[in-house]
Every structure is written in structure tokens, then in C-alpha cells.
């Protein structure tokens, strides 16, 4: 098992460097290495900008975003004992999308908070985060009333439908330019985090993943059923609320900066289970986190395959990686 963990770390390092070397603009590998080492004599300033301000933060974002979403997916699948649960099933991603839609399609791309007014990229990030955390707060409120996990899951799905309906109405009445801007955001991208914003993004995702690590023991207990977990001294409602808070934070921050990234939270926990053959979260959770980073880096590298011809939207790549895994899991479940 330790060998597999080490192998995953090595794969992440290799893919990370591949993401730095490859892109829509071809830069010699030797120059990329020199730029990373700070030896920029004789190197084009534009190449330095591309590597430091674009490729490096994009690779870091892929590592963090992949780990965050896959961790969220594993926690939800365990807590609700549903192999098809993921961060978007509670409508958190839809809430972020609604926040962005309101900003882009209704408010003209800017947010006003009293005398403070922000626009552009900052407004989109703020709107997505506010939308996602608002839905998380609503789900959190229902969780204090509804004791049944299945009913809470259904409520989350219904909230997602309501948000999606509102987004459809906003798109219908919006201008062509607004609809186009929203569609571009909805395609998803790991390139939305600059080095300036990286401290905020990294701090929030690492905080959420640290909170997830603290829930390993309760998650293992929940695998045995609610009654057994209660007999072991696990507070089911408090654990569920902490889990929702961690999932909400991770989904909100990743969706705000990267747009809706599908299938990573849904498929990666199953990939980790297939590789490690265990349900013990002491191993499974770190393994899922690492597998999520691997998949995200692979998807980001695939996005740049056309080279100078353009960049493939992230939303078109992640289903290609995730959908076959889910189909396999469903078919294996039917045979069991």
C-alpha cells in the first residue's frame, strides 16, 4: 500500500512537470527549467510570464482542485452511503453557477456592497463563492431538521434543480454577450487562479482538506451504519454538519475559481477504491486526494493537446475520464 502511495506521489510530480513543459505555446524544456530556477538571462520575457504566471499556477490549481473535489466526493459517498453522490448533487455547484449568472446576466458583471463595488474576475469569484456558500447554509439548516440522510439528499437535489431553473430563466432574458460570457465560465478551467490569488485559493482548499482528514475516524464508523457509529460514540448529526461545512467550503472555493468541474468528485473515489482495494479511510482518503490530483493534471494536459490550434475546455475532458468509471461501477454493482 505504501508503495502505491509513493508511486502516486511520483506520478503527480511527473505530471506536474509535464504541465509546465507543455502548452499552447511551445517553449524549450531547458528554458522552462532555467525560468523555474530563476536563471532568466537570454530567456524571452514572454516565456517567463507564460511559465510563472500561467502554467505554474495552473498546475498548482489542478493539484489542489482535483484533491479537493475528490475528497468531497468520497466524504459524501461515505456519509450518505450512495456511490453516485458528489459535491454537485447537493446543488452547491448550481448555487455557485446561480451566483455567477446573477452577476453576469442581471447585474452587468459587477457586485455592489454598500460603497464597495467590484467587477470583472473578482466579481465572478465573489458571486460564485457567495452562491455556493448560500446553498451550503440552506442545506446545513435543513440538516438540523431532517434526520434521514436520503431525504436530505433529495432536498439537495431539489435545491440544485431550483438553481438550474433560475439560471435557465436568466439566460433566456440575457443579452447574447452575457450568455456567451456565462457559457465560457461554465466550461471550467484550471487557469482561473493567478499567483496573486493563489494564497487565498490554496489556504481555503488546504483548510477544507485538513478538516476532511479530521473526519477519518467518524467516516470509518459510518461505513458500519448509523446505529453502530452511535454505539461507538459518534455524534451523527454533528459529523454530518461538519462534513457538509467542509464539502461546502471545498466546492465553493474550487467552483468560484475554476468554474463547475464535473465528474472528478464522482469518479475519483471509485478509482481509488479499485486501486487500493480498501474502505479504510485512513488510507482511502489520502489515496483519493492523490488520485484526484493525478486525474486533474491529466485532464489539464489533455486540454492543451491541440497546441497552437487552441485549448480544449476542461468541461469537455473530465467526463471522458469520469463517465467510463461510473458506467463500470454501475455494471459491476448489477453483477454483484
Amino acid at each position: 500500500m505504501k508503495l502505491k502511495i509513493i508511486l502516486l506521489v511520483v506520478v503527480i510530480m511527473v505530471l506536474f512537470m509535464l504541465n509546465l513543459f507543455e502548452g499552447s505555446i511551445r517553449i524549450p524544456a531547458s528554458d522552462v527549467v532555467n525560468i523555474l530556477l530563476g536563471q532568466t538571462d537570454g530567456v524571452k520575457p514572454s516565456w517567463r510570464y507564460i511559465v510563472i504566471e500561467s502554467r505554474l499556477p495552473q498546475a498548482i490549481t489542478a493539484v489542489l482542485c482535483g484533491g479537493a473535489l475528490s475528497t468531497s466526493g468520497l466524504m459524501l459517498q461515505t456519509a450518505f452511503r450512495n456511490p453516485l453522490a458528489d459535491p454537485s448533487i447537493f446543488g452547491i455547484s448550481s448555487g455557485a453557477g446561480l451566483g455567477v449568472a446573477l452577476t453576469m446576466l442581471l447585474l452587468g458583471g459587477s457586485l455592489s456592497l454598500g460603497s464597495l463595488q467590484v467587477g470583472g474576475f473578482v466579481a465572478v469569484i465573489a458571486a460564485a463563492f457567495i452562491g455556493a456558500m448560500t446553498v451550503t447554509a440552506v442545506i446545513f439548516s435543513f440538516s438540523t431538521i431532517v434526520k434521514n440522510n436520503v431525504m436530505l439528499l433529495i432536498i439537495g437535489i431539489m435545491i440544485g434543480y431550483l438553481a438550474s431553473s433560475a439560471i435557465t430563466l436568466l439566460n433566456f432574458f440575457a443579452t447574447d454577450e452575457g450568455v456567451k460570457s456565462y457559457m465560457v465560465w461554465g466550461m471550467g478551467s484550471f487557469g482561473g487562479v493567478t499567483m496573486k490569488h493563489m494564497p487565498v485559493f490554496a489556504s481555503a482548499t488546504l483548510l477544507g482538506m485538513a478538516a476532511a482528514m479530521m473526519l477519518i475516524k467518524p467516516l470509518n464508523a459510518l461505513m458500519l451504519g448509523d446505529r453502530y457509529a452511535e454505539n461507538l460514540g459518534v455524534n451523527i448529526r454533528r459529523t454530518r454538519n461538519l462534513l457538509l461545512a467542509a464539502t461546502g467550503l471545498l466546492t465553493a472555493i474550487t467552483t468560484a475559481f475554476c468554474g463547475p468541474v464535473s465528474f472528478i468528485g464522482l469518479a475519483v473515489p471509485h478509482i481509488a477504491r479499485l486501486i487500493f482495494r480498501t474502505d479504510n479511510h485512513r488510507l482511502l482518503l489520502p489515496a483519493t486526494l492523490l488520485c484526484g490530483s493525478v486525474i486533474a493534471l491529466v485532464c489539464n494536459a489533455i486540454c492543451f493537446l491541440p497546441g497552437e490550434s487552441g485549448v480544449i475546455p476542461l468541461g469537455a475532458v473530465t467526463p471522458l475520464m469520469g463517465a467510463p468509471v461510473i458506467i463500470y461501477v454501475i455494471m459491476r454493482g448489477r453483477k454483484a
Side-chain angles (χ1 to χ4, degrees), residues 85-129:
D86 80 326
S88 63
I89 201 169
F90 280 102
I92 300 173
S93 297
S94 296
L98 178 58
V100 173
L102 286 170
T103 302
M104 287 185 174
L105 307 179
L106 189 64
L107 303 177
S110 62
L111 284 177
S112 297
L113 300 173
S115 60
L116 178 64
Q117 184 172 4
V118 294
F121 180 67
V122 176
V124 171
I125 292 174
F129 187 80

Side-chain angles (χ1 to χ4, degrees), residues 1 40 61 87 92 106 143 151 153 163 166-167 209-210 218-219 235 252 256 268 302 312 333:
M1 291 297 183
T40 57
T61 300
I92 300 173
L106 189 64
S143 73
M151 294 304 297
L153 204 62
I167 292 170
M209 287 188 280
L219 286 170
N235 188 319
V268 172
I302 292 174
I312 302 174

Side-chain angles (χ1 to χ4, degrees), residues 34-97:
N34 288 333
I35 290 169
L36 294 174
L37 295 176
Q39 301 172 3
T40 57
D41 293 338
V43 178
K44 293 182 180 179
S46 58
W47 288 358
R48 182 188 179 281
Y49 180 85
I50 290 170
V51 173
I52 299 299
E53 298 297 332
S54 178
R55 293 185 185 179
L56 181 59
Q58 198 161 341
I60 296 173
T61 300
V63 170
L64 294 174
C65 183
L69 291 176
S70 56
T71 298
S72 298
L74 175 63
M75 290 193 295
L76 292 175
Q77 289 172 14
T78 300
F80 294 92
R81 293 193 293 278
N82 186 334
L84 299 180
D86 80 326
S88 63
I89 201 169
F90 280 102
I92 300 173
S93 297
S94 296

Side-chain angles (χ1 to χ4, degrees), residues 6 9 62 74 97 114 129 136 143 146 159 172 205 211 226 234 257 274 284 291 297 315:
I6 294 172
V9 173
L74 175 63
F129 187 80
T136 302
S143 73
V146 179
I159 291 174
F172 181 79
T205 51
D226 289 353
V234 176
F257 280 92
L274 290 172
L284 184 59
C291 286
L297 286 169

Side-chain angles (χ1 to χ4, degrees), residues 141-211:
S141 299
F142 275 111
S143 73
T144 62
I145 304 171
V146 179
K147 295 182 179 180
N148 188 289
N149 283 342
V150 176
M151 294 304 297
L152 187 61
L153 204 62
I154 293 173
I155 289 172
I157 295 172
M158 293 303 104
I159 291 174
Y161 279 131
L162 288 172
S164 297
S165 177
I167 292 170
T168 302
L169 289 172
L170 288 169
N171 273 299
F172 181 79
F173 291 106
T175 62
D176 292 343
E177 184 180 350
V179 172
K180 183 179 179 180
S181 298
Y182 182 76
M183 286 183 63
V184 169
W185 176 83
M187 290 178 182
S189 172
F190 291 134
V193 186
T194 63
M195 291 304 290
K196 179 182 177 181
H197 298 122
M198 185 58 68
V200 175
F201 178 78
S203 298
T205 51
L206 291 174
L207 177 64
M209 287 188 280

